[in-house]
Amino acid sequence: NVFRVGGLPARRAYLRFNIPSTILDSSDVVRATLFMDQRANGLSPESSDTIGIGHFGVVAGGTVTDLTRALFFLQRLTNRDTLRITPADSGVRSFEIIDWIRAWRGTDPVKTPRAMGFASSEEGENGRLVDFYSIEAPLAIRPRLRLTFIPRRTGPLQ
């Protein structure tokens, strides 16, 4: 019920989102926060040192069905969302992903998957591993996406 990011050999995580097109295409998303619960990993090498965890857009099209291959096709929009995390810690971690939500506006989810990859910023350099609870974990600790949006105004402004 967990997935790991980091380590040697490097591990990446793949998260796919099912966001209705009515929200993406008919409203203005003003905030998007992904909450993930970290599970303490005291067995990680250097578990008291920090590791940077960043999120990336998966730019592999829908024809790439092998997740391992899809995770080779990652793109970073910004550098600001890399979190420094200590593997031995636990708790809720939040990632601001508004840039990805806006990038998915007007796209076909079959051609442009609404998916993100998570990877260590020090990938391949050290063995530190960070564990997060997956969608198979109890509901209270699964990854959660909070969107704040307002409907787009149609018609003339008065």
Side-chain angles (χ1 to χ4, degrees), residues 27-98:
S27 61
D28 290 315
V29 178
V30 295
R31 186 155 194 186
T33 307
L34 176 64
F35 297 97
M36 296 196 302
D37 282 73
Q38 179 187 348
R39 183 184 78 171
N41 184 344
L43 299 177
S44 171
E46 304 167 327
S47 63
S48 61
D49 287 340
T50 61
I51 181 174
I53 302 295
H55 57 80
F56 304 83
V58 176
V59 293
T63 57
V64 179
T65 57
D66 180 1
L67 295 184
T68 302
R69 288 189 178 150
L71 282 170
F72 282 116
F73 300 98
L74 298 179
Q75 176 186 11
R76 179 181 285 252
L77 282 180
T78 63
N79 289 324
R80 67 174 186 228
D81 292 327
T82 299
L83 290 182
R84 301 297 301 173
I85 298 173
T86 304
D89 287 345
S90 62
V92 178
R93 308 293 177 237
S94 62
F95 297 86
E96 294 301 324
I97 62 169
I98 186 69

Side-chain angles (χ1 to χ4, degrees), residues 1-3 132-143:
N1 66 358
V2 298
F3 59 86
F132 294 102
Y133 287 101
S134 73
I135 62 169
E136 296 171 355
L139 186 61
I141 55 176
R142 291 179 187 170

